[in-house]
Amino acid sequence: MADTARETWITGIGIMSCLGEGPDAHWRGLNECNPNYDATTFTPYVVHPMAPINLDAQIPKKGDQRQMEPWQRYGTYAAGLALDSAGVKGNKEVLDHMDMIVAAGGGERDSVVDDAIVTGLLKTDDKGRFLNERLLSDLRPTLFLAQLSNLLAGSISIVHGVIGSSRTFMGEEASGVEAVRIAYARIAAGQSDIALVGGSMNAERRDLLMVYGFGGYPLKDDFRPVWERTSESGFALGSLAAFLVLEERGHAERRGAKPLARLATVKSEWAKREPGGIDAALGRLWDALPADAATNAAVISGASGAAPATAEEGEFLAGRGLPVRATGSQIGHALEPQFAMNIALAALAVGRGKLFAPCDGSGFETPSDEALDRAIVTAVGHFRGEGLALVEAVR
Amino acid sequence: MAPVRDKAGRPVVVVTGMGIVTSLGTGIEENWTKLVGGQSGISSVKRFSTEAMRTRIAGSIDFVPVAPFSAPALTERLGEIAGEEAVAQARIGSPGRFPGPLFLAVPPIEVEWDQRTELAAASGANDEVHYEDLLRATAAGQFFNHYDRFVFGSIGTHLAEKFGTQGMPISLTTACASGATAIQLGVEAIRRGETDAALCIAADGTVNPENLIRFSLLSALSTANDPPEAAAKPFAKNRDGFVMAEGAGAVVLESYEAARARGAPILGVVEGFGELADSFHRTRTSPDGRPIIVCMRNAIADAGLTPDDIDYINAHGTGTPENDKMECLGVTTVFGDRAKEVPITSNKSMVGHTITAAGAVEAIFTLLALINQRLPPTINYEVPDPAIPLDVVPNVARDAKLRHALSNSFGFGGQNVSVVVGLEPT
């Protein structure tokens, strides 16, 4: 049961990744365990590329598409899918008071401009003047807007009319956990009735791979499922977008909306990453779950493949005795939107009453034919931040 | 004793500590003295070459040393300075342990040209350099210090550690409304009963060539370079854009009940918030002004007040032709016949537009106006705009009887947030 008098339903899901677009493509892809990755274009790093999409289906105006870089297009597209799924697309009365929290990265660079400027900076004696002149002549005036982190939310307001409120959280996995947690907490406390929450990632970006590469976190060279990344660890950055429509039960019932699942709890931790830190944090989160959380349940893990976080999470989960699926093995790791994506995939599983197939050669993920009523979703940041959500079937 | 719950039954949220740093200087005292003195913090940019640029001025902060210099490093240091002042004033927690979460407004973080050229040199590419080369050098090298500095959660991680805040730090951006959103998230958490205290910090130290040029390409900046201190002219007919600036504001928020129980200084009450996103355009306001009108009305209603109760408006007041015109339309609509009587000022005329920090910096200035019963002026108001028939407190501060005030923050991406602050009920 939910840990609040005001129950939160998931009434809409919009997802897209290397597996395709929408619930059925993801369910099929997850069961096939045939990861779609690219280990050559962004060498030495491995990424999961976005499946082909028809942008016009959710972003009808070409002018809007042109104003965005890919990560904003993916997010705006997935937000449209979520609104369709919840049956509120174009419903001005609902969109007027729909709250929005986006978990975003941003700063998508124009690599052609950057390449030319860096090349020139190494050769010129007057770096200041050179930089100014090139930026003034080479930057597209609207590029800045396509880079700004809050302009995914801004684009969703413009394209889909979600205007009740608009907030953008930043900061890797933690921002995605807090986006969902705050949206949920606001609904539970009566501060919000309906919220759009999620985010997007374009993994096919050298400028972003560079930032995570500074830390040594992205997976290099050789692809394997996350639990098998023992000698060569790392996350395979994944292009994906995920939005959830979270809605107070009464609000949903009054407009005749059906629940895809119930979001029963969302909690977060900020553990010191010292030996045992992740185990202790996940332990505190797990112990705070409702008493029946582990009945007919499975774990949808956000394990990224990064060391030592994934190994420590694996050890913790091994002690809980529930079947585990790490979606990162198939759709990659997208940091900010990963938690929303995994909650969406958990909702698909409990909605269908069964778990998807394992995708792991280490033997940690085992087949399960048990009835599934609940999914516990984990998020363990590659560097900091832990989160847990409980998603329940509404039957 | 005043009630510890508001009319809606929610915990009353008070401010028990404030900290600020702007181009005017460091700390509440220095900032307030200069603000009511009508001083400008805008100057010619000295940090980098402005050759070939149309705008060569900013409210940059060059008196805070940071090494190695980068936008996130300066932003973090500014946030730290403001946070330290706020926590010290509130006398809350213990050193390294703040008893509540951190809500942090920060600009999006980006790798800078110094790092790109460093990587390019390390790659050994000797003719044309491409990102492929930078990526190869990244993968082969040891650059954890760059990761720690340029990952998006960097500043939040460091400040959460520094202040010992509880739980996951939340880093957020709502463009020019970010500072207000940080305070709003803190207020909401206390109203939900999740915490008795919150540390809300907003900081921006991003005056660099690329950002100056970006805003310039959007035609948002004043080009009145000489003299710099006269460039920011909110509400004046000859206004020609905003002046980019740096700064930070921090507040310690507490439930009134908890603050009173521990005998904390009660500086003021955060009475209400309003917001409504604008779906019209990425950088422009709906021509009918509805989003900002509803935003202001929502804030006043959330405070349990009516427009008649508002004694002062701290405007978003950027000094762009469009913003000030639309804000005037909004204020005129919300306040009706009273609009001409409610003083409205823009401190951006003095400190410039501190972008991410502005909402917090201005909420603090608004509260200082209430505490001191004195209105800071809007300077550089030499040519009145007949289309803006408002009392902008031109050029000279004046005393006033103030009880409740409204502060507006509007940003790119349709971000609109208004906050109502008041004095502690007696």
Side-chain angles (χ1 to χ4, degrees):
Chain A
M1 270 309 292
D3 59 4
T4 163
R6 277 171 62 93
E7 200 175 316
T8 300
W9 282 0
I10 299 169
T11 55
I13 285 173
I15 52 177
M16 56 200 290
S17 72
C18 63
L19 299 181
E21 159 191 334
D24 292 342
H26 280 83
W27 191 252
R28 197 165 51 241
L30 289 171
N31 277 297
E32 283 170 3
C33 180
N34 182 21
N36 172 12
Y37 62 88
D38 176 349
T40 54
T41 308
F42 300 92
T43 183
Y45 300 117
V46 182
V47 304
H48 295 266
M50 182 63 82
I53 50 167
N54 170 23
L55 285 176
D56 297 352
Q58 291 294 343
I59 313 175
K61 289 186 191 160
K62 294 286 185 198
D64 284 332
Q65 294 178 20
R66 277 196 298 274
Q67 295 280 331
M68 305 180 208
E69 293 291 320
W71 73 277
Q72 289 181 357
R73 291 186 197 126
Y74 298 160
T76 305
Y77 191 96
L81 293 177
L83 298 175
D84 272 337
S85 159
V88 295
K89 178 75 78 62
N91 182 336
K92 199 172 171 313
E93 193 195 330
V94 171
L95 299 176
D96 264 8
H97 67 268
M98 179 181 267
D99 296 301
M100 170 162 51
I101 307 182
V102 170
E108 202 153 333
R109 306 286 303 182
D110 183 329
S111 60
V112 175
V113 172
D114 283 4
D115 286 351
I117 292 178
V118 170
T119 299
L121 280 173
L122 291 181
K123 294 175 179 171
T124 180
D125 291 327
D126 190 351
K127 288 186 168 38
R129 183 175 192 93
F130 175 83
L131 181 63
N132 295 350
E133 286 177 346
R134 291 308 298 260
L135 288 172
L136 279 163
S137 67
D138 296 357
L139 287 183
R140 282 176 286 125
T142 55
L143 175 65
F144 185 27
L145 301 173
Q147 293 171 323
L148 279 176
S149 299
N150 73 301
L151 260 290
L152 169 50
S155 296
I156 293 171
S157 293
I158 290 169
V159 174
H160 302 304
V162 178
I163 59 168
S165 65
S166 168
R167 302 164 184 186
T168 297
F169 292 178
M170 302 178 295
E172 291 70 49
E173 296 92 342
S175 68
V177 171
E178 287 299 88
V180 178
R181 185 184 72 78
I182 298 278
Y184 168 82
R186 293 186 78 231
I187 289 174
Q191 293 173 337
S192 171
D193 289 324
I194 183 166
L196 179 69
V197 58
S200 60
M201 158 69 69
N202 174 20
E204 296 144 82
R205 283 175 60 188
R206 292 186 178 83
D207 59 335
L208 191 62
L209 284 163
M210 190 168 85
V211 176
Y212 297 119
F214 286 152
Y217 291 107
L219 183 68
K220 289 190 217 172
D221 304 324
D222 181 26
F223 178 84
R224 273 168 297 174
V226 294
W227 306 116
E228 296 178 55
R229 294 176 198 167
T230 45
S231 57
E232 279 290 332
S233 65
F235 58 71
L237 209 60
S239 289
L240 62 82
F243 275 90
L244 309 168
V245 174
L246 303 183
E247 191 168 1
E248 192 269 325
R249 176 181 177 162
H251 189 276
E253 285 176 336
R254 280 190 294 281
R255 66 178 188 87
K258 295 274 180 289
L260 301 171
R262 175 189 301 114
L263 185 58
T265 185
V266 186
K267 292 208 158 39
S268 66
E269 282 274 339
W270 188 250
K272 274 222 165 66
R273 288 294 173 88
E274 51 201 15
I278 289 174
D279 185 75
L282 288 176
R284 283 190 296 274
L285 293 170
W286 198 281
D287 291 345
L289 289 171
D292 59 357
T295 308
N296 294 339
V299 173
I300 304 297
S301 166
S304 66
T310 288
E312 291 182 19
E313 180 183 342
E315 281 173 34
F316 174 86
L317 294 177
R320 294 301 173 283
L322 296 178
V324 175
R325 299 290 182 268
T327 62
S329 296
Q330 302 213 57
I331 58 174
H333 187 58
L335 297 105
E336 292 89 2
Q338 195 75 16
F339 194 55
M341 173 59 101
N342 285 333
I343 289 173
L345 298 177
L348 292 191
V350 300
R352 284 163 166 75
K354 59 186 177 188
L355 194 54
F356 48 88
C359 192
D360 169 38
S362 78
F364 181 48
E365 294 187 5
T366 53
S368 170
D369 296 324
E370 303 291 313
L372 189 73
D373 293 327
R374 293 174 187 82
I376 297 166
V377 180
T378 70
V380 175
H382 70 279
F383 181 62
R384 290 293 293 269
E386 301 78 27
L388 213 61
L390 176 63
V391 178
E392 296 181 329
V394 182
R395 307 230 194 271
Chain B
M1 292 287 256
V4 295
R5 302 224 157 221
D6 66 14
K7 288 174 190 167
R10 308 168 300 192
V12 170
V13 180
V14 296
V15 177
T16 58
M18 302 192 291
I20 197 164
V21 51
T22 72
S23 51
L24 290 176
T26 304
I28 294 290
E29 200 177 321
E30 184 176 6
N31 270 280
W32 182 247
T33 304
K34 290 183 174 174
L35 200 74
V36 291
Q39 287 191 40
S40 168
I42 309 305
S43 59
S44 294
V45 172
K46 292 171 207 69
R47 185 180 295 160
F48 49 85
S49 165
T50 55
E51 272 188 275
M53 291 188 191
R54 292 181 65 217
T55 294
R56 299 185 295 277
I57 52 171
S60 57
I61 295 183
D62 298 317
F63 52 82
V64 173
V66 173
F69 185 86
S70 66
L74 179 60
T75 300
E76 179 173 316
R77 181 66 190 131
L78 297 177
E80 188 178 359
I81 291 169
E84 279 171 346
E85 185 182 18
V87 170
Q89 184 177 28
R91 303 191 308 266
I92 190 170
S94 50
R97 191 187 182 284
F98 183 91
L102 172 65
F103 297 99
L104 177 69
V106 279
I109 293 177
E110 291 178 284
V111 171
E112 298 176 358
W113 295 106
D114 282 350
Q115 290 75 44
R116 288 187 201 106
T117 47
E118 178 191 346
L119 267 289
S123 77
N126 48 16
D127 189 20
E128 280 192 23
V129 187
H130 297 281
Y131 261 108
E132 285 85 341
D133 303 306
L134 306 189
L135 212 53
R136 189 163 34 78
T138 299
Q142 297 290 329
F143 298 100
F144 194 83
N145 57 325
H146 290 342
Y147 169 84
D148 183 55
R149 182 67 283 161
F150 294 102
V151 78
F152 261 54
S154 152
I155 300 172
T157 302
H158 295 164
L159 291 182
E161 203 152 305
K162 151 88 191 174
F163 290 104
T165 50
Q166 308 302 302
M168 237 179 217
I170 293 187
S171 304
L172 66 104
T173 174
T174 55
C176 306
S178 302
T181 304
I183 299 173
Q184 181 182 29
L185 284 161
V187 167
E188 288 182 350
I190 293 171
R191 284 177 173 176
R192 285 196 297 270
E194 269 177 32
T195 180
D196 282 332
L199 178 57
C200 307
I201 302 179
D204 201 318
T206 59
V207 173
N208 59 33
E210 190 158 349
N211 281 326
L212 212 49
I213 287 170
R214 282 164 161 167
F215 282 117
S216 193
L217 289 171
L218 290 169
S219 305
L221 297 181
S222 169
T223 56
N225 295 302
D226 191 24
E229 53 275 13
K233 304 172 284 292
F235 303 120
K237 192 159 194 291
N238 58 336
R239 65 188 185 276
D240 72 330
F242 73 79
V243 177
M244 213 187 152
E246 297 175 326
V251 295
V252 172
L253 299 178
E254 290 184 70
S255 73
Y256 191 24
E257 190 170 15
R260 224 159 55 183
R262 70 176 188 90
I266 312 286
L267 306 176
V269 182
V270 187
E271 298 179 312
F273 268 100
E275 56 193 325
L276 191 70
D278 194 328
S279 60
F280 176 67
H281 188 268
R282 284 163 184 77
T283 58
R284 293 184 53 212
T285 307
S286 291
D288 63 1
R290 178 179 176 263
I292 60 176
I293 291 165
V294 176
C295 176
M296 284 188 259
R297 283 183 174 151
N298 284 349
I300 294 167
D302 189 49
L305 301 172
T306 70
D308 284 349
D309 298 313
I310 302 297
D311 303 312
Y312 162 55
I313 302 164
N314 186 296
H316 186 55
T318 55
T320 64
E322 160 119 351
N323 175 84
D324 296 4
K325 183 183 76 178
M326 294 311 297
E327 190 164 11
C328 176
L329 170 66
V331 166
T332 309
T333 308
V334 171
F335 290 88
D337 291 343
R338 249 190 102 231
K340 291 175 187 174
E341 297 159 25
V342 185
I344 177 169
T345 75
S346 172
N347 41 240
K348 290 186 179 80
S349 61
M350 292 171 278
V351 303
H353 189 350
T354 56
I355 320 272
T356 303
V361 163
E362 289 164 21
I364 290 167
F365 284 151
T366 307
L367 204 45
L368 286 170
L370 300 189
I371 291 167
N372 293 287
Q373 296 288 292
R374 189 160 175 80
L375 296 164
T378 304
I379 68 164
N380 298 322
Y381 189 79
E382 303 300 337
V383 189
D385 183 347
I388 302 182
L390 300 174
D391 172 11
V392 302
V393 190
N395 303 318
V396 183
R398 66 170 191 252
D399 289 338
K401 203 165 155 16
L402 309 172
R403 176 81 192 78
H404 306 281
L406 177 76
S407 176
N408 287 332
S409 297
F410 309 137
F412 285 173
Q415 309 276 183
N416 299 304
V417 182
S418 294
V419 54
V420 174
V421 294
L423 292 172
E424 181 185 8
T426 48

